[in-house]
């Protein structure tokens, strides 16, 4: 999608992007496939998993969690980038879908607790269509989560 590939000038410019992005089952399936591939990669290459964790910890200290920064971290690890690309995503799309899913999941939880969907979407700056997507595809999302956890032992 075009929204996933348009670069933003800085982290502040990224904040609204997940709100503007609309999730689809195709996105979710490719994202899930990428996660499974990354998990296999970590299991097959424990040194790589350790390096990725060290990279994440170092990046947490700098607190640059913009979509561009996350994509750049992925790009710095060729095997991770390739695993994501094999699922049909680029590093920035992967980061964008991750953000959008996380935001929509948090918003969906608030709606399940009785809050108004439109109000939650405004307050949390989440695309209301993504909240509806989470509602409509709850079973599929749960199945993907279960499959992923089955491969990770969690």
């Amino acid at each position: 999608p075009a929204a996933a590939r348009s670069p933003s000038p800085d982290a502040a410019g990224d904040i609204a992007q997940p709100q503007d992005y609309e999730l689809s089952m195709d996105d979710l399936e490719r994202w899930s496939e990428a996660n499974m591939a990354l998990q296999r990669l970590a299991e097959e290459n424990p040194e790589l998993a350790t390096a990725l964790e060290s990279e994440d910890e170092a990046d947490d200290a700098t607190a640059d969690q913009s979509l561009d920064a996350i994509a750049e971290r992925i790009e710095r690890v060729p095997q991770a980038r390739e695993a994501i690309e094999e699922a049909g995503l680029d590093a920035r799309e992967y980061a964008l879908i991750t953000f959008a899913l996380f935001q929509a999941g948090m918003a969906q939880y608030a709606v399940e607790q009785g809050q108004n969907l439109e109000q939650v979407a405004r307050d949390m700056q989440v695309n209301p269509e993504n909240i509806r997507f989470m509602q409509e595809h709850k079973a599929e999302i749960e199945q993907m989560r279960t499959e992923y956890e089955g491969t990770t032992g969690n």
Side-chain angles (χ1 to χ4, degrees):
R5 291 190 176 91
S6 59
S8 61
D10 57 32
D14 279 339
I15 293 171
Q17 282 193 330
Q19 178 182 4
D20 298 333
Y21 191 79
E22 193 167 321
L23 293 166
S24 70
M25 276 309 293
D26 182 57
D27 290 339
L28 187 60
E29 289 167 357
R30 292 182 298 146
W31 181 84
S32 180
E33 184 179 328
N35 277 337
M36 299 289 272
L38 289 170
Q39 180 60 34
R40 283 190 303 275
L41 182 65
E43 289 171 358
E44 294 166 3
N45 302 288
E47 318 79 43
L48 181 61
T50 301
L52 284 169
E53 288 169 9
S54 298
E55 179 100 10
D56 284 344
E57 289 169 9
D59 286 325
D60 284 347
T62 64
D64 185 357
Q65 296 298 317
S66 70
L67 293 173
D68 289 334
I70 292 168
E72 287 171 17
R73 287 197 299 272
I74 293 168
E75 292 286 340
R76 287 193 294 242
V77 182
Q79 300 94 323
R81 178 184 46 78
E82 290 166 9
I84 290 168
E85 287 175 352
E86 286 176 12
L89 299 171
D90 63 34
R92 195 157 196 292
E93 284 175 307
Y94 178 80
L96 181 61
I97 293 167
T98 300
F99 269 75
L101 282 168
F102 178 77
Q103 286 182 338
M106 296 294 290
Q108 171 57 22
Y109 179 77
V111 171
E112 287 176 353
Q113 301 309 305
Q115 295 185 35
N116 176 275
L117 186 145
E118 296 300 329
Q119 186 66 45
V120 167
R122 277 190 302 277
D123 291 349
M124 296 179 77
Q125 298 183 356
V126 176
N127 185 331
E129 291 305 315
N130 289 346
I131 300 170
R132 289 182 190 94
F133 175 85
M134 298 295 281
Q135 291 173 325
E136 292 168 12
H137 299 285
K138 189 173 184 172
E140 295 102 315
I141 293 166
E142 181 62 26
Q143 178 65 34
M144 287 179 185
R145 185 186 66 75
T146 301
E147 289 172 6
Y148 178 76
E149 287 179 354
T151 65
T152 64
N154 291 331

